[in-house]
Amino acid sequence: REPYPRLLEHMLGQVYGPARVEVLNAGSIGYNSYQGLLLLRTKLRSLKPDLVTVRFGWNDHLMSSSGRDEGAFRDATNPIVRSLGNALLRTALYPFAIRMRLESQAWLGRDEAQKPPQRSAWAPNMSIPDYQNALRQIATLGHAMGARVWLLTAPQGFSSEGDLERFSALPEDAKARKLLTLNAMDSFSQMRSVHNDYIEATRDAAREAKVPLIDLDALYRKASDERLFALSDAVHPTLQGHMLEAKTLHRRLKKHRVLEDYFANAPVDQ
């Protein structure tokens, strides 16, 4: 009910005054990094943000969309087609082309929202190279919109050995175990290992794109607070977790004088 964007906006309002800073939560349930790239270029294309924070990871290696038409959910594997797609992303034609494609598939009875079949073996929704490419493209588009771009790592509820032991000891009918079954994973240990690979990939992507990294995973590990995640959910932080993230972003904004510099150069009425 109080996600970190709302908490951050409240914190900033206390410092700079109400309604002077707007923090928009553009997150969409289940989206992977490539869908986030499409979202930024289509539905969010009219925004003029000063800062874009980007956090993906879980939906890139979980909830595989195998069985769907992959084109709308992940980048092309052919390098020539990918280069063409990257070029089209910068044009006004792209949103129109995507809409026409999806409408034509719906007319032909190919519903992209259909539930994917149960998998017998784990496979990532987005491979690490595709994931990193999507993050780099998001950074490029964010800069083209005139915004700063910060990449965030996605924290996890079993970063320590003690956390992992607690999840591993859950009964077979526990809610948290359904995530293992859905993604054909053998254990929480495997899930942690896979997620750590994507966290490291996020760090590499930030270095390659030359954008700041907010390492929330490292921050959560350092905090070592069991209240940051519920025992039944290792993916979504609790209110305490969202508060930790809002405070972290607030400190980073203050450290880099992002808002001070903006208000110093903004017209008097802004």
Side-chain angles (χ1 to χ4, degrees):
R1 295 183 219 174
E2 292 290 330
Y4 72 88
R6 185 180 301 175
L7 295 170
L8 178 60
E9 184 175 81
H10 178 69
M11 292 176 185
L12 296 174
Q14 291 180 321
V15 176
Y16 301 101
R20 295 200 75 193
V21 181
E22 185 178 25
V23 183
L24 300 179
N25 182 0
S28 294
I29 295 175
Y31 270 29
N32 61 38
S33 56
Y34 185 60
Q35 290 170 296
L37 172 61
L38 300 187
L39 181 67
L40 185 63
R41 198 63 187 96
T42 55
K43 189 174 181 180
L44 305 180
R45 64 180 288 117
S46 62
L47 296 180
K48 298 184 183 299
D50 299 291
L51 171 67
V52 177
T53 63
V54 185
R55 180 169 72 188
F56 288 100
W58 283 108
N59 289 327
D60 290 88
H61 63 74
L62 297 182
M63 306 296 185
S64 176
S65 61
S66 178
R68 296 172 176 173
D69 185 325
E70 307 291 356
F73 295 91
R74 66 181 66 190
D75 209 351
T77 56
N78 185 294
I80 297 177
V81 176
R82 173 178 288 179
S83 297
L84 178 61
N86 290 342
L88 286 175
L89 277 171
R90 298 178 177 84
T91 70
L93 177 64
Y94 193 80
F96 173 77
I98 285 291
R99 186 176 73 251
M100 291 299 295
R101 176 177 178 275
L102 295 178
E103 288 180 355
S104 64
Q105 288 176 341
W107 183 75
L108 292 172
R110 296 170 60 191
D111 184 6
E112 300 242 18
Q114 62 182 313
K115 184 178 179 180
Q118 184 71 40
R119 297 189 62 86
S120 58
W122 172 78
N125 196 353
M126 291 277 286
S127 69
I128 284 181
D130 288 343
Y131 171 65
Q132 292 179 312
N133 179 66
L135 294 183
R136 290 193 297 267
Q137 288 298 315
I138 289 173
T140 298
L141 288 174
H143 291 155
M145 297 168 77
R148 302 179 188 224
V149 178
W150 293 354
L151 295 189
L152 283 60
T153 56
Q156 55 188 309
F158 32 57
S159 56
S160 72
E161 292 304 319
D163 295 332
L164 184 60
E165 289 177 2
R166 282 195 299 274
F167 273 91
S168 298
L170 291 174
E172 291 300 320
D173 59 349
K175 180 180 178 181
R177 288 194 174 276
K178 293 181 180 179
L179 198 59
L180 294 178
T181 303
L182 181 63
N183 293 281
M185 286 190 169
D186 298 329
S187 64
F188 290 111
S189 180
Q190 180 189 3
M191 184 177 290
R192 182 177 69 169
S193 176
V194 169
H195 189 65
N196 284 339
D197 289 341
Y198 280 74
I199 288 173
E200 193 59 41
T202 307
R203 294 170 180 149
D204 291 340
R207 287 190 290 267
E208 293 169 3
K210 295 181 172 58
V211 298
L213 175 78
I214 312 296
D215 201 337
L216 293 179
D217 179 70
L219 179 70
Y220 272 68
R221 290 173 185 267
K222 184 177 179 180
S224 187
D225 189 339
E226 294 180 7
R227 298 174 300 170
L228 298 176
F229 283 94
L231 183 56
S232 60
D233 190 350
V235 177
H236 304 96
T238 61
L239 177 59
Q240 286 87 346
H242 281 270
M243 181 62 73
L244 176 63
E245 295 173 21
K247 289 180 178 179
T248 300
L249 290 171
H250 184 254
R251 286 195 300 269
R252 182 60 70 96
L253 286 167
K254 185 176 181 180
K255 177 180 178 181
H256 288 269
R257 295 184 57 83
V258 173
L259 294 172
E260 285 82 355
D261 292 344
Y262 173 76
F263 286 126
N265 298 307
V268 176
D269 61 344
Q270 288 191 9

